[in-house]
Amino acid sequence: HIIGIHLGFVIDLRYRHRCGGLEELEAKNDWRLILFLPPHPALVDPLILHSVLWQYYPRALADARQLNRPVIRTLASYLNPICMPDMQCDGRGAEKGVRLALDMVTKALVSGDNVLLYPAGRLTRDGQEHINANRGAHSIRMQAPECRIVLIRTKGLWGSSFSYALGKTPRLVQSVLRGMGWIFLNFVFFMPRRDVSITFSEPENLPPVAAGTRAFNKALENFYNAVPEEAHTVSKSFMMPSGAKPIPTKTASGTELLPVAAAEAVSADIREKVFAILATESGVRDFDLSSSLSADLGIDSLTLANIILVFEEAFGNTTDRLEELTTVAHCVLLAAGLLRDADNAVQAPPESWFASGVGSPLSLPRGETLPEVILRQCCNDASKPLLADASGVLSRKDVLLRAFVLAEYLKSRFADQQYIGIMLPPAAIASVVWLAVLLAGKTPVMYNWTVGERNFQHCMRLAKTSCVLTSRRLLEKLEERGFSGNPSGGEWTFLEDIARQIPWRIKLMGGIRFFAAKYGISRLALPRKISPVAVILFTSGSESFPKGVPLSHGNILANCRDTVEVLGLTSEDRLLGMLPPFHSLGLTGNIVLPLVFGVPAVYHANPTESARLAKISRLWRPTFLLTPPTFLAGMLQHGTSEDFHSLRLGFVGAEKCPAALYDAFFRLTKGGVLCEGYGVTECAPAVSVNRPDDAHSGTIGLPLPSVRVAVVDEEGEMCRVPAGTRGMLLVAGPNVFDGYLESAEGECESPFVLFEGHRWYRSGDLVQADDEGRLSFCGRLKRFVKIGGEMLSLPQMESVLLEAFQEKSAMVEGPALALESREEDGKTEILLFTVLDIIQEEANAALRRAGFGALASVHGIRKLSGIPVLGTGKTDYRSLKKLLTEELS
C-alpha cells in the first residue's frame, strides 16, 4: 500500500493517467485470481501499472536483465517479481530458466497471487503489439483455467524516451535520471505531464483454450492494436510550448534479414532436410524460404531452442543467438554452416568513427607506466570513439570510466591477491579488463584456452592465480567445443555477474578517479603502487610446456613506439583487431597500441570467421591490421576488393607468409602493402619488420629502431657469421623481457647469453642477414634434423612444398601441410602431414627441383582432415609429434 502511494506520487509528476474499466473490474470481484495481460509500449509502463493496481498486489513476470539494473533492483525487491531470462539475448542456455519462470507463474496463480504478464515478451518496436507465436500467456491459461483474464490497453507512452519510437534503444536508468533532473528544473510541481490512458477489459469472447496459441494471440493483438496510436513528444519544461507534438515513427535498427538468394544456393538435399524438421516441429506444411518462423510457422523461442539442437545433431552446425534465426532462410543457412558468412547484419559504425582532415604522426604522452600513458591519451579529446565490437562503440571516456569502476571492484573483492587471470576473446571488454587490473594495482595474467587442459593447468600453477576473469557466454561456447579447463585451486569470476554486483559506492569511487584523471590529479587516479609487470603471457607451447613471460611497461611501450614509427601510422588510421589477448601480438598490437596512441580499433571475437571479418572491414573501413598469415588468407578468400578497399597496410607474423598472399593482398586492397615481420613473446613481441616503402617478400625485414641483433654461429664458439650465412639470432633492447616465471621445480634455464660484453636473449631461431642487415627466417634450431651428418631445416622444406603445391592449397583454410620427424630403431624419418592429395614421389620431386639433396626426402605421408593449429594460428607441432608417438605405440 505504502509503495503504491509513493510510486503513484512520483509517477504523477510526469504522467497524467486516466483509467477506464477499473471500477467494473472491481465490481466483478468473485475472489478468483487475475492474470493481467498488458501491452508493452515503454519501459516505464510497469511502474505506471503497479501504481494503479497496487491494491491487487500483482506479481510481474519480468526480464532478469532489467531487474538487475540499479534502482530497479532495489524497487523490485519490494514488488516480488518472477524473474525470467530473455532467450533472444541469452540463447539456449536460458531455456531452463524460461520454463521454470512459467511454472512459477502458474504456481503463483494457484497459490493466491495475481500476476502481471506481457504476452509479447518485449518492448514494441513500431507501436503495434506483435505476439506472434509466443505461447507463454496461453500455456499459463491452460494450466490455470480458473483464473480471470484481464486485458489492458495502454495509450500515450509511444514516443516517450522510454520507448523505441525515437529510433534508439531506450535506457531505463539514464531516462529516469534525466527525468528527475527535468522535474527539479521545473520546481517539481510545474513539470508538463504526458497524458496516458489505461483501459481494463475482461472479455467474454476470448477463443476457447482448445483453439490454440495462435488464435488466442491473434485475439490479444486485435485488442491491443484496435486503437492506432501516433508517436508524440511532450514538452519537458513549463517555459516551453505545451501540448503533444507528433514525431515520425522510427523503428530501432535491428537484424537485417538474410537474403533468400543465399539460401537458394544451398544444396537441395540440405534445404529438404531443414523443411522436414521445421514442418515436424511446427505442424505447418505450407511455407517457403521467406516465411517467418514466428508469424508464419508459429515457432516460439522454446521451440526454436529445440530446433537448434536438432540442427546440431543433423548438420553439426549451431548458434547460441536465437535472434539470428527469424526466417526459414536463416535456418537453411545455419544448417549449411553459412549463417555467419551470409549475414548482412554486421553493425554499421557511427560517422564519428571516421577521421577527418589530414593525418598527423602519432605520439606517446609522457609516462613511465602504461596506465599513466593511457590516462593522458584518453583524457585528451575524451569523447572520440576508441574501441568497437558487436556490442557497440566505446569512447575514450567510456573506456576509462568502466576501467576505473572495475578496478575499484577488483581492489575490494581481491584485496589479498596480486595476480588476476584474464580469459577473454578479442573485444573491447578485454582492453577494459586488462587496464582495470593494472589500475587496481594488480598484475594481469592472460590465459590461453586453446592449449589443452594439461597446458592450461600448468599455466595456472605457474602464475599462481586463484581467480580468472572471464565471460559466462565464452565459457559456455568453449565447453560445447570440448574445453574442460578449470582454474586449478581457484575460481571463474564472470564479468556478467560483476556487472550486476557492483554497488553504488564502488561506482562513485570509480567516477571520482575518472574525474581526477580528467583534471590531471594523478595521485588520486592511479593506484599507490602500479605493478612493475604489465602483463604475464605464456609461450605457445608448440614444442614444449608453455613458459610464463612477464613483460614490463617499458618492454611494451618500446615495442609500440617502434612499431608505429616504422609502419608510419597516423591519426587517420584505424585498426581491425582479431587476435586474442593471450597472443603477444594480440596484446601489444590490438590492445595496448590503440589505448596508448588513441587509435580507433574494431574487434571481432573469432579470427576464423573469415566472411564476417570481411564484412566488418567493408563497413568499418580499417586502414591496417596485425595478424598471422593463416587468418589473413581466410579473410581474403571470403571477401572482395569492395571489402578491403580501405586497407593500406598489413603486418603479418607468427608464421611464414606465402608468396601468393602478398599478391592477393595487393590486388584486393588495390595497392595495399603487406609487411612481414618476426617476433617472439619474450620480446613483447616484435623484433624486425619490413618497412612499407621497402618491403621484400620472403624476408622478415630490418630490426626495429631500438632493437639490436646479432647473428652468431649456431655451433661451436660464439662469433658473428658473415652476411648471407645462417646463424643463431640474439636480441637485445628495451623490448626484451627479464626472465621467465619460476616453475614449481625451480628456476627455468636462463634464455640469456653473454656476448661481446652484453647480455643477449638467445631466441633459438636461425636467420641469415644480407649486406643491408635485412633478416630472413631459416627456422627454429629445434626444427632441424640431422640425417647422414647433414642438418636439414624442416621449415625450409615446408616452404618449398607449399610453393610447389600452392594451386592445390589455394582453397584450403589454415595450414595445408606440415613436416615432422621421428626416430625409430636409430633411424630418423621425415613425415609429411597434409590435407592435400599428394603422393610421396610428387613431394620428393618438388624438393629435388628446389635443389635439396637426396637426404632431404619425405619418408611417408599422413593425410589429415585438418592440420592442428594453436590459438595463435601457428601449426601445433606437439600434436603432430603425439600422433607419431601413438602410431609407433
Side-chain angles (χ1 to χ4, degrees):
H1 188 168
I2 295 174
I3 294 175
I5 292 175
H6 283 81
L7 191 60
F9 172 77
V10 174
I11 293 295
D12 285 344
L13 295 176
R14 176 57 172 166
Y15 299 95
R16 182 189 296 112
H17 57 268
R18 301 188 308 275
C19 294
L22 195 56
E23 293 180 358
E24 291 82 352
L25 180 66
E26 294 172 353
K28 291 182 181 179
N29 186 12
D30 56 5
W31 306 107
R32 286 187 298 154
L33 296 172
I34 301 175
L35 176 63
F36 293 99
L37 300 177
H40 203 2
L43 288 173
V44 74
D45 67 70
L47 299 179
I48 295 176
L49 290 176
H50 273 286
S51 72
V52 172
L53 296 172
W54 61 266
Q55 68 270 36
Y56 290 92
Y57 301 103
R59 294 186 66 186
L61 182 65
D63 183 352
R65 289 173 178 261
Q66 295 292 346
L67 290 182
N68 277 313
R69 298 181 185 277
V71 181
I72 301 302
R73 183 165 50 237
T74 303
L75 182 61
S77 64
Y78 296 101
L79 300 177
N80 193 25
I82 299 170
C83 297
M84 183 174 75
D86 185 348
M87 289 193 68
Q88 293 294 329
C89 298
D90 300 328
R92 288 181 291 153
E95 180 182 357
K96 184 177 179 181
V98 170
R99 295 185 184 278
L100 180 62
L102 293 176
D103 288 342
M104 289 179 65
V105 170
T106 303
K107 291 177 182 177
L109 286 168
V110 171
S111 61
D113 289 320
N114 297 313
V115 173
L116 183 70
L117 181 143
Y118 291 89
R122 67 172 191 168
L123 285 177
T124 176
R125 264 61 171 177
D126 59 3
Q128 299 281 302
E129 286 296 303
H130 302 283
I131 307 174
N132 295 325
N134 287 355
R135 50 180 165 159
H138 185 256
S139 65
I140 292 169
R141 184 191 182 201
M142 290 175 61
Q143 296 176 52
E146 299 300 320
C147 73
R148 297 167 65 186
I149 303 294
V150 175
L151 306 186
I152 304 174
R153 184 188 294 126
T154 305
K155 297 296 179 183
L157 293 174
W158 182 239
S160 76
S161 60
F162 293 96
S163 73
Y164 275 99
L166 301 178
K168 57 185 179 180
T169 302
R171 305 292 182 188
L172 182 60
V173 176
Q174 292 89 325
S175 295
V176 168
L177 293 176
R178 282 196 299 268
M180 295 302 294
W182 278 109
I183 287 173
F184 284 112
L185 288 175
N186 284 274
F187 305 105
V188 179
F189 299 104
F190 298 99
M191 179 77 179
R193 293 193 288 173
R194 175 181 282 270
D195 289 321
V196 178
S197 68
I198 305 172
T199 305
F200 296 88
S201 176
E202 191 172 359
E204 302 290 339
N205 59 343
L206 286 175
V209 173
T213 300
R214 301 187 73 177
F216 181 63
N217 288 351
K218 189 64 177 176
L220 298 186
E221 288 178 353
N222 291 338
F223 175 82
Y224 297 138
N225 301 327
V227 181
E229 181 179 16
E230 290 187 0
H232 65 275
T233 60
V234 175
S235 173
K236 293 183 174 64
S237 171
F238 70 92
M239 300 181 68
M240 299 178 184
S242 60
K245 180 180 178 182
I247 58 173
T249 301
K250 301 177 183 178
T251 56
S253 58
T255 302
E256 302 173 26
L257 292 179
L258 293 172
V260 172
E264 289 175 342
V266 174
S267 72
D269 181 49
I270 291 179
R271 292 204 307 271
E272 289 172 4
K273 288 181 180 178
V274 169
F275 275 50
I277 292 171
L278 294 178
T280 300
E281 294 288 338
S282 67
V284 178
R285 296 290 183 272
D286 185 18
F287 58 86
D288 57 27
L289 288 171
S290 63
S291 298
S292 165
L293 297 180
S294 179
D296 298 324
L297 276 70
I299 294 174
D300 65 357
S301 296
L302 291 173
T303 305
L304 188 55
N306 292 330
I307 289 173
I308 290 175
L309 289 176
V310 175
F311 278 17
E312 189 170 8
E313 293 178 4
F315 306 105
N317 296 311
T318 186
T319 180
D320 59 353
R321 296 176 58 196
L322 272 65
E323 70 270 22
E324 290 187 329
L325 303 176
T326 59
T327 68
V328 174
H330 287 80
C331 293
V332 170
L333 292 166
L334 173 62
L338 300 173
L339 180 61
R340 295 280 177 106
D341 291 350
D343 193 353
N344 292 318
V346 174
Q347 181 181 357
E351 281 301 319
S352 58
W353 180 257
F354 304 105
S356 58
V358 179
S360 57
L362 296 174
S363 60
L364 279 177
R366 59 184 175 85
E368 296 182 358
T369 66
L370 287 165
E372 290 177 87
V373 174
I374 292 169
L375 260 58
R376 290 192 174 96
Q377 184 67 265
C378 288
C379 287
N380 178 31
D381 206 353
S383 63
K384 287 184 67 173
L386 181 59
L387 307 177
D389 55 25
S391 63
V393 180
L394 297 181
S395 67
R396 298 179 179 189
K397 172 187 173 182
D398 295 332
V399 171
L400 282 188
L401 194 53
R402 283 165 169 76
F404 276 127
V405 171
L406 181 55
E408 285 297 311
Y409 177 85
L410 297 176
K411 279 172 56 182
S412 172
R413 178 168 176 181
F414 303 111
D416 59 339
Q417 299 176 34
Q418 180 57 37
Y419 297 98
I420 304 292
I422 300 173
M423 191 176 81
L424 291 169
I429 188 61
S431 301
V432 172
V433 171
W434 169 79
L435 178 58
V437 173
L438 285 175
L439 289 173
K442 310 291 185 181
T443 304
V445 184
M446 315 306 287
Y447 282 108
N448 179 353
W449 59 83
T450 70
V451 295
E453 183 174 2
R454 187 182 179 195
N455 280 352
F456 187 87
Q457 299 293 351
H458 168 78
C459 294
M460 287 290 299
R461 290 191 297 271
L462 198 59
K464 301 181 178 68
T465 48
S466 56
C467 95
V468 179
L469 302 175
T470 188
S471 159
R472 180 175 281 106
R473 189 182 182 95
L474 170 66
L475 203 59
E476 288 173 355
K477 285 185 177 181
L478 295 179
E479 287 174 349
E480 288 178 1
R481 290 161 174 76
F483 176 78
S484 57
N486 255 327
S488 181
E491 61 175 345
W492 298 118
T493 302
F494 297 111
L495 295 175
E496 296 92 335
D497 297 340
I498 290 178
R500 292 192 292 266
Q501 295 168 0
I502 297 180
W504 274 103
R505 61 179 180 82
I506 294 291
K507 293 181 179 180
L508 180 61
M509 286 301 300
I512 291 173
R513 289 182 67 181
F514 167 75
F515 282 106
K518 184 177 179 181
Y519 294 105
I521 312 174
S522 57
R523 61 186 180 85
L524 291 180
L526 294 170
R528 276 177 287 183
K529 184 180 180 182
I530 297 176
S531 168
V533 176
V535 70
I536 294 176
L537 299 172
F538 297 93
T539 57
S540 63
S542 59
E543 295 161 358
S544 62
F545 274 120
K547 300 183 182 72
V549 180
L551 295 175
S552 71
H553 301 268
N555 294 152
I556 298 175
L557 281 171
N559 219 240
C560 287
R561 189 183 293 110
D562 283 351
T563 302
V564 165
E565 178 184 339
V566 299
L567 295 182
L569 302 180
T570 73
S571 57
E572 282 208 325
D573 280 307
R574 298 174 299 275
L575 169 70
L576 173 60
M578 67 189 82
L579 287 177
F582 60 71
H583 189 297
S584 56
L585 185 57
L587 189 283
T588 297
N590 288 352
I591 288 185
V592 181
L593 190 147
L595 291 178
V596 298
F597 283 104
V599 174
V602 58
Y603 300 102
H604 183 57
N606 190 342
T608 66
E609 290 185 342
S610 306
R612 180 62 64 95
L613 284 165
K615 177 71 175 180
I616 292 172
S617 180
R618 177 192 300 186
L619 292 177
W620 291 78
R621 305 206 298 271
T623 60
F624 76 107
L625 52 77
L626 304 94
T627 178
T630 296
F631 299 146
L632 178 59
M635 279 181 62
L636 298 181
Q637 285 178 14
H638 287 84
T640 66
S641 58
E642 185 180 350
D643 298 320
F644 307 122
H645 71 279
S646 64
L647 281 172
R648 68 174 185 84
L649 185 64
F651 180 112
V652 290
E655 58 182 345
K656 184 173 177 57
C657 184
L661 195 58
Y662 285 92
D663 298 332
F665 188 81
F666 182 85
R667 184 179 70 257
L668 290 172
T669 60
K670 296 184 177 178
V673 179
L674 207 54
C675 296
E676 185 172 358
Y678 161 83
V680 288
T681 304
E682 293 86 343
C683 294
V687 173
S688 67
V689 64
N690 275 279
R691 282 28 175 188
D693 57 352
D694 188 29
H696 290 245
S697 63
T699 75
I700 53 175
L702 295 165
L704 295 177
S706 67
V707 174
R708 292 179 293 120
V709 301
V711 184
V712 301
D713 193 348
E714 65 212 61
E715 295 179 344
E717 185 179 352
M718 191 177 296
C719 61
R720 292 183 184 263
V721 300
T725 303
R726 187 183 70 201
M728 172 68 62
L729 178 65
L730 306 182
V731 185
N735 63 317
V736 178
F737 82 138
D738 281 334
Y740 295 112
L741 285 183
E742 184 177 323
S743 67
E745 293 77 23
E747 191 169 345
C748 293
E749 180 183 351
S750 174
F752 301 104
V753 295
L754 282 175
F755 177 63
E756 296 179 344
H758 299 284
R759 190 179 80 150
W760 300 75
Y761 168 68
R762 183 178 184 273
S763 68
D765 290 329
L766 300 177
V767 301
Q768 66 182 30
D770 63 17
D771 292 333
E772 297 177 357
R774 187 175 291 105
L775 304 175
S776 295
F777 186 74
C778 300
R780 286 194 63 78
L781 183 60
K782 290 183 179 179
R783 297 211 64 234
F784 274 73
V785 294
K786 183 172 280 190
I787 299 178
E790 183 177 338
M791 291 290 287
L792 301 176
S793 168
L794 297 183
Q796 196 173 8
M797 293 171 64
E798 282 179 359
S799 179
V800 167
L801 293 175
L802 279 170
E803 187 174 350
F805 300 107
Q806 61 179 332
E807 289 187 8
K808 289 185 178 181
S809 61
M811 301 305 294
V812 175
E813 286 195 44
L817 56 86
L819 290 174
E820 193 48 83
S821 65
R822 73 175 178 191
E823 189 170 331
E824 184 179 8
D825 298 328
K827 180 183 177 182
T828 301
E829 293 182 328
I830 298 174
L831 285 303
L832 172 62
F833 293 88
T834 182
V835 298
L836 308 175
D837 291 323
I838 302 174
I839 61 174
Q840 188 171 332
E841 289 74 12
E842 284 181 309
N844 288 328
L847 292 171
R848 298 294 88 77
R849 287 195 301 270
F852 280 95
L855 294 176
S857 297
V858 171
H859 302 100
I861 292 182
R862 302 294 183 267
K863 184 73 179 294
L864 301 178
S865 59
I867 303 295
V869 295
L870 301 167
T872 59
K874 295 180 180 179
T875 299
D876 185 356
Y877 291 102
R878 286 191 69 196
S879 293
L880 297 180
K881 277 280 192 188
K882 185 179 179 182
L883 288 175
L884 293 178
T885 303
E886 292 172 349
E887 185 179 290
L888 281 175
S889 63

